[in-house]
C-alpha cells in the first residue's frame, strides 16, 4: 500500500492538471483510504472477533431478559440455537458472518417481542440495544478515525488501544 500511496503522491497527483480539482480530490481520498487500510490491516482479525464477542454478549443479555408469549418464545429459542452454534473464538474469516447470524436472530427476537413480549422485557432490551449501539459506534468511529472526518477524532482510542481494551 505504501508503494501505491507514493505513486499517487509523487507521480499521479503531480501529473494531474491544476484545474482537475475533482480528480485531485479523489486521488487524495484514495491516499487516505490506503493509509487507513494499512493501519487497520494488522488488527482486522482482532476487530472482527471483538465485534463478534460483543454481539454474542448482547444476545446473551437479551435472552436473559426476555419474557413473552409464543412468538417471543420461538424467537428466543432460535436465538439460543444460533448462540449455541457460534464460537466466539472462531477464525477471523468467519467472525463477520457469524456476527451477522447473531444480529439476524436478535432482530427476529426484537420483532417477536414487539408482538407479544413482556413490557418490562422490552424496556431492558431497549437499554441493552442502545448500550451495544453506543459501544459499536465508538468502535466504528475509532476504526475509521484515520479518515480525518470525525470532528472528535482526538477523543477516540487509536486502533491498538481499541483492540487492547476489547481484550481486557
Amino acid at each position: 500500500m505504501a508503494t501505491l500511496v507514493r505513486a499517487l503522491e509523487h507521480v499521479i497527483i503531480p501529473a494531474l492538471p491544476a484545474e482537475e480539482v475533482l480528480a485531485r480530490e479523489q486521488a487524495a481520498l484514495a491516499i487516505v483510504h490506503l493509509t487507513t487500510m494499512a493501519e487497520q490491516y494488522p488488527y482486522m482479525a482482532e476487530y472482527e472477533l471483538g465485534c463478534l464477542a460483543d454481539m454474542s454478549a448482547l444476545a446473551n443479555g437479551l435472552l436473559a431478559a426476555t419474557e413473552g408469549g409464543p412468538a417471543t418464545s420461538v424467537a428466543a429459542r432460535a436465538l439460543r440455537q444460533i448462540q449455541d452454534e457460534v464460537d466466539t473464538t472462531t477464525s477471523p474469516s468467519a467472525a463477520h458472518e457469524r456476527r451477522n447470524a447473531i444480529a439476524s436472530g436478535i432482530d427476529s427476537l426484537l420483532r417477536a417481542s414487539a408482538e407479544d413480549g413482556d413490557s418490562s422485557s422490552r424496556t431492558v432490551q431497549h437499554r441493552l440495544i442502545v448500550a451495544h449501539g453506543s459501544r459499536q459506534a465508538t468502535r466504528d468511529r475509532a476504526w475509521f478515525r484515520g479518515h480525518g472526518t470525525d470532528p472528535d477524532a482526538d477523543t477516540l482510542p487509536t486502533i491498538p488501544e481499541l483492540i487492547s481494551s476489547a481484550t481486557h
Side-chain angles (χ1 to χ4, degrees), residues 86-98:
V86 172
D87 177 5
T88 56
T89 62
T90 189
S91 71
S93 61
H96 189 79
E97 181 181 316
R98 291 176 182 265

Side-chain angles (χ1 to χ4, degrees), residues 18-69:
E19 64 273 6
E20 291 296 332
V21 177
L22 182 59
R24 289 175 165 274
E25 177 184 284
Q26 292 302 304
L29 284 173
I31 291 170
V32 169
H33 284 287
L34 289 167
T35 303
T36 300
M37 288 169 55
E39 180 183 70
Q40 293 169 337
Y41 183 75
Y43 303 99
M44 193 166 299
E46 289 89 350
Y47 179 81
E48 287 294 342
L49 291 170
C51 290
L52 170 60
D54 195 30
M55 184 67 73
S56 183
L58 171 61
N60 289 334
L62 290 170
L63 287 168
T66 297
E67 294 180 20

